Amino acid sequence: MMEKKFAASLMSVSILTASLGGSLLAAAPAFKDLNGTDGQAKIESLQQKGILKGVSANAFAPKAPVTQAQAMQFISNGLGLSALEYPDADPKQTAHDLFPAVKNTAWYAEAFLDAARSGASIPGTVDPSAKITREDYVDYLIDSLKTAGNLPMINILAPEIADQDQFDIEQLGSTQLAIALEIAELDADKKFHPQDEITRAEAAVILYNAVDYLNQLKQPVHILPIEE
């Protein structure tokens, strides 16, 4: 496991905000397989911002599982990890150095490297083609969000999770924080199903919520004057 880090520059957050707010890419063709999908508007929003791509020009495959490689690309694109500064990172270190199964020429190599540098606790033995579980995806995302958003330590009231005993104890805190921040949610039975493979639609919606939370952090705080 990589050591988790919790620092990023405010300048980097500004860069991310500008990139998400601007229209940097031409509008992509709309996905035609999202009708009836929960979170359809959020998925389409991420697509139009150039954060998400489909499995083809007009198909997103919302019910398909997400691979480790796809998850890294989702998170890196969504949180703008490539634009962040990592003062402690070794510039000579490659993704393959950290993750032997990741080839440096692979389309997802930089996403793995950026996620690892941001603090995501990715096992060195990770298989980029393996499907990712719900708890792993949220853990990687929250670790990276802490760096991208320069988040301080946050004390939360731990939400009640009916299937809490199914979590890896080292990853439970990430899901608890994600639920508390309304980035992820439980089902009607207050279960999270941490060991289930996450679908592309589920991963996209959680990513949208994380990006939205990050954007809210940049909003200026208005302090009203104290009347004497």
Side-chain angles (χ1 to χ4, degrees), residues 12 33 39 56 164 216 222:
S12 300
D33 58 351
S56 68
Q164 182 169 313
Q216 291 179 37
H222 298 288

Side-chain angles (χ1 to χ4, degrees), residues 12-26:
S12 300
V13 176
S14 297
I15 292 173
L16 168 64
T17 303
S19 67
L20 291 180
S23 178
L24 302 183
L25 299 174

